[in-house]
Amino acid sequence: MSSVTPAVSLDQEVNPWEAQSARFDFAARKLNLDEGLWKLLRMPAREIIVHFPVPMDNGRIEMFTGFRVQHNIARGPAKGGIRYSPDVTLDEVRALASWMTWKCAVVNIPFGGAKGGVICDPKAMSQGELERMTRRYTSEISDFIGPEKDVPAPDMNTNEQTMAWIMDTYSMHARRTVTSVVTGKPLNIGGSRGRIEATGRGVMVACGESLRYHNMNVDGCRVIIQGFGNVGSNSARLLMENGYKIIGIAEKDGGLYNSNGIDIRQLIEYKYRNGMILGFRGADAIPSDELMVMDCEVLIPAATENVITSRNADKIKARIIVEGANGPTTAVADEILAEKRIFVVPDILANAGGVTASYFEWVQDRQGYFWKEAIVNEQLESILRDSFDDVVRYAEAHNVNNRIAAYMLAIDRVAFTIRQRGIYA
Ligand code: NAD
C-alpha cells in the first residue's frame, strides 16, 4: 500500500483535522471518487462558533466559546457528542464531526455527522456554573439542533446530567417536551437501557471478533486499557466478565499493573469513592506511558486523541489495537503499526457502539416505546459484528488496512446517497 501521509511535522501529525483529512484523501483516491464529491465531503457543511456570557458563582460574568460543527447530513440528521475541555479547538471539533459521518455510515445507521464543544475547565466549575453554561450554550445553538436536524450526545466531560439540561432548555424554548433532541439522557426522561455501557460493549464485540479473526482464545488474553472513564471502565468490566485478563489501566495521572489481572469491579468502586485510580491496592503503580508499550495481546486506547504517534508506535507490543477513543492514532503512526503487522480496529468501527445505542434511544423516544435492555444489547452486538465483518472483508478485497477500508466503505455509502439525492442548486 502506498503512503497515507506526506512527510509532516509533529504539530501537523497531532492535528486531528490533518489526521482525518489524510485518511479521507487516501481513501477517496483509492475509491476513484469524482472530484466534485471529493470536495463536497472533505469540508464540513456548517461550522457554528458562539461566544456567550455565563454568570459565575462569585458574581462575575465570564465569556465562553462554543462550537457546533455539522459535517454532513446526506444520510439523516447530524449526530455527535459535545465535549467540555480547556483544549477544545475548531480543528478538533471539525475532525470529530467528520468521523461521526463516517462512523454512522460504517454501522449503516441513518445519521450524518456533527460534534460540539465548549472551551472550559469543567473540573474547576461548580454544578451551578456548569448548568448555566450548558443552558446558555444550548440556547445559542438551538436554531441548529433538533430531532430532525442535529442530535447531540455526551462526550468527554459531559454526561447524562448535561444531556438532561440540554433537553430541558430546548424543550422550554419549544414549549413542549422534546426528548429526542439529545441522546445519552437519564433513563427516567427518555434515555435508553444499555446506553451508558454501549461504547464499551461495542469495544468488547470488536475484541471478540478480532480474536476470532486471528484464531486466538479469550483464555489468557491480556488487555491494557488507557483511560478509565465511561468507555475505558465499561470496556474493562465487560471484558473481565467475559474472561479477558485486564493487566493494565493507564490514567492521566498514572497507571496500574497486575500480571494476574486487575479486579475491575473493585477498581470502579475505588475510583467512585476516591475520584482517581491511584492508590488502589489490587495492582502496582506504573507510569502510564510505560503501560502503553508493555507486552499484551490487546491494547485499548480509550482516553483521548494522539496517544499513539511516531514517538511510541514502534515500541508497541500489542498484537491487536481496538480504538475505544476517537483519533487515538495519528496517520504517521498507522503506517508504523502496519509495518509491525499490528491489527487495528479503527475508532469509526470500534467505538461505534455508543452512536448505535444513541440511534436506538432516538428511535425509542420518537416511538414513545422503550425496549428491554436485552433487546438493546442484542441489536447492538449484531450491528457491530456485521460491521466488523463488512470492514475486514472490504480490507481484504481492496488490499488496504482496516482504517482505510472503514473510510472507503463509509465514503462510498455517503457518496452513493448524495448521487441518489442529487445536488440542490
Ligand atoms: P471520559 O471523560 O468519561 O473518560 C476519559 C478518561 O480518560 C478520564 O478518566 C481521563 O482522566 C482519562 N484520560 C484523559 N487523557 C488521558 C491521557 N492522556 N492518558 C490517560 N488517561 C487519560 O470520556 P469517555 O466518554 O470515556 O471518552 C473517551 C474517548 O472515547 C474520547 O475520545 C471520546 O471521544 C470517545 N468516545 C466516547 C463515547 C461515549 O459513549 N462516551 C463514544 C464514542 C467515542
Side-chain angles (χ1 to χ4, degrees):
M1 201 170 86
S2 54
S3 179
V4 175
T5 49
V8 291
S9 68
L10 189 65
D11 270 359
Q12 277 172 308
E13 183 188 340
V14 298
N15 178 322
W17 175 246
E18 301 280 347
Q20 190 285 142
S21 304
R23 274 80 169 245
F24 171 79
D25 287 341
F26 189 84
R29 199 172 308 123
K30 279 258 165 201
L31 277 172
N32 279 325
L33 188 68
D34 68 69
E35 199 194 334
L37 282 177
W38 189 323
K39 284 193 282 191
L40 188 160
L41 288 173
R42 200 175 194 281
M43 289 305 291
R46 184 182 267 161
E47 300 179 347
I48 302 149
I49 303 177
V50 290
H51 305 287
F52 58 93
V54 178
M56 307 303 279
D57 290 348
N58 62 10
R60 295 219 179 120
I61 289 173
E62 280 297 337
M63 287 302 291
F64 288 86
T65 297
F67 308 101
R68 186 74 188 166
V69 174
Q70 295 164 351
H71 172 257
N72 188 277
I73 56 164
R75 288 168 48 89
K79 184 90 194 75
I82 291 175
R83 63 171 54 176
Y84 291 167
S85 160
D87 314 319
V88 172
T89 64
L90 183 56
D91 263 359
E92 178 189 47
V93 180
R94 274 180 174 157
L96 289 160
S98 315
W99 283 326
M100 285 307 296
T101 303
W102 312 136
K103 193 181 299 182
C104 293
V106 165
V107 287
N108 218 348
I109 58 176
F111 285 131
K115 204 78 178 191
V118 178
I119 304 174
C120 64
D121 184 0
K123 298 212 162 64
M125 294 170 72
S126 69
Q127 278 293 99
E129 288 170 339
L130 280 172
E131 177 172 356
R132 292 191 292 279
M133 185 187 78
T134 301
R135 287 184 182 278
R136 182 64 189 244
Y137 167 67
T138 306
S139 124
E140 295 292 333
I141 62 167
S142 65
D143 284 343
F144 304 99
I145 60 172
E148 307 287 343
K149 289 183 186 174
D150 179 357
V151 185
D155 194 71
M156 279 168 68
N157 297 321
T158 56
N159 54 28
E160 285 192 343
Q161 179 59 73
T162 324
M163 296 306 115
W165 291 328
I166 296 177
M167 191 279 272
D168 184 68
T169 307
Y170 185 88
S171 298
M172 290 298 112
H173 284 237
R175 316 298 295 165
R176 67 199 154 84
T177 295
V178 189
T179 52
S180 52
V181 64
V182 282
T183 57
K185 298 178 295 294
L187 254 190
N188 183 43
I189 49 171
S192 174
R193 290 183 177 83
R195 170 64 183 89
I196 287 185
E197 61 178 44
T199 309
R201 184 170 294 284
V203 167
M204 178 189 75
V205 172
C207 290
E209 294 302 295
S210 301
L211 292 195
R212 213 142 59 98
Y213 186 76
H214 290 97
N215 289 320
M216 287 162 68
N217 267 326
V218 169
D219 271 356
C221 179
R222 297 161 305 160
V223 181
I224 292 176
I225 302 180
Q226 183 195 43
F228 203 64
N230 175 304
V231 181
S233 67
N234 281 303
S235 303
R237 183 179 56 79
L238 287 166
L239 287 169
M240 185 189 80
E241 286 169 2
N242 282 278
Y244 294 78
K245 204 193 275 182
I246 318 300
I247 59 167
I249 300 284
E251 253 294 335
K252 213 175 197 165
D253 40 9
L256 296 172
Y257 179 78
N258 182 341
S259 59
N260 296 318
I262 299 170
D263 186 325
I264 298 299
R265 281 208 208 94
Q266 280 182 11
L267 184 60
I268 289 174
E269 223 181 283
Y270 182 89
K271 189 183 172 193
Y272 180 74
R273 274 188 274 113
N274 299 284
M276 56 179 178
I277 64 166
L278 296 190
F280 178 67
R281 295 238 176 119
D284 299 325
I286 182 168
S288 285
D289 50 353
E290 276 181 35
L291 263 182
M292 294 290 288
V293 297
M294 280 179 79
D295 204 19
C296 64
E297 277 69 43
V298 181
L299 174 66
I300 303 178
T304 188
E305 289 114 63
N306 299 321
V307 294
I308 302 177
T309 69
S310 53
R311 293 189 167 176
N312 63 356
D314 62 331
K315 301 191 194 85
I316 287 182
K317 297 187 191 71
R319 277 188 74 181
I320 296 168
I321 295 178
V322 176
E323 296 183 337
N326 285 311
T329 309
T330 65
V332 181
D334 265 350
E335 301 195 6
I336 301 170
L337 299 178
E339 268 168 34
K340 289 169 64 93
R341 305 195 144 274
I342 296 176
F343 184 84
V344 178
V345 187
D347 47 6
I348 55 175
L349 169 64
N351 69 36
V355 76
T356 304
S358 276
Y359 166 51
F360 298 156
E361 181 174 333
W362 180 76
V363 168
Q364 293 171 75
D365 285 342
R366 285 152 56 101
Q367 287 182 328
Y369 177 74
F370 291 87
W371 310 350
K372 289 186 172 152
E373 183 166 350
I375 307 271
V376 172
N377 294 347
E378 190 187 304
Q379 300 261 359
L380 184 138
E381 291 183 15
S382 151
I383 287 182
L384 283 162
R385 268 197 301 271
D386 289 352
S387 306
F388 182 95
D389 213 41
D390 285 349
V391 169
V392 294
R393 273 198 278 117
Y394 205 99
E396 285 166 359
H398 293 83
N399 191 26
V400 291
N401 66 38
N402 292 335
R403 189 184 317 280
I404 296 302
Y407 269 74
M408 287 172 73
L409 186 65
I411 294 169
D412 205 23
R413 284 181 177 159
V414 180
F416 178 76
T417 309
I418 295 173
R419 278 190 213 103
Q420 253 181 350
R421 289 179 59 157
I423 306 278
Y424 175 74

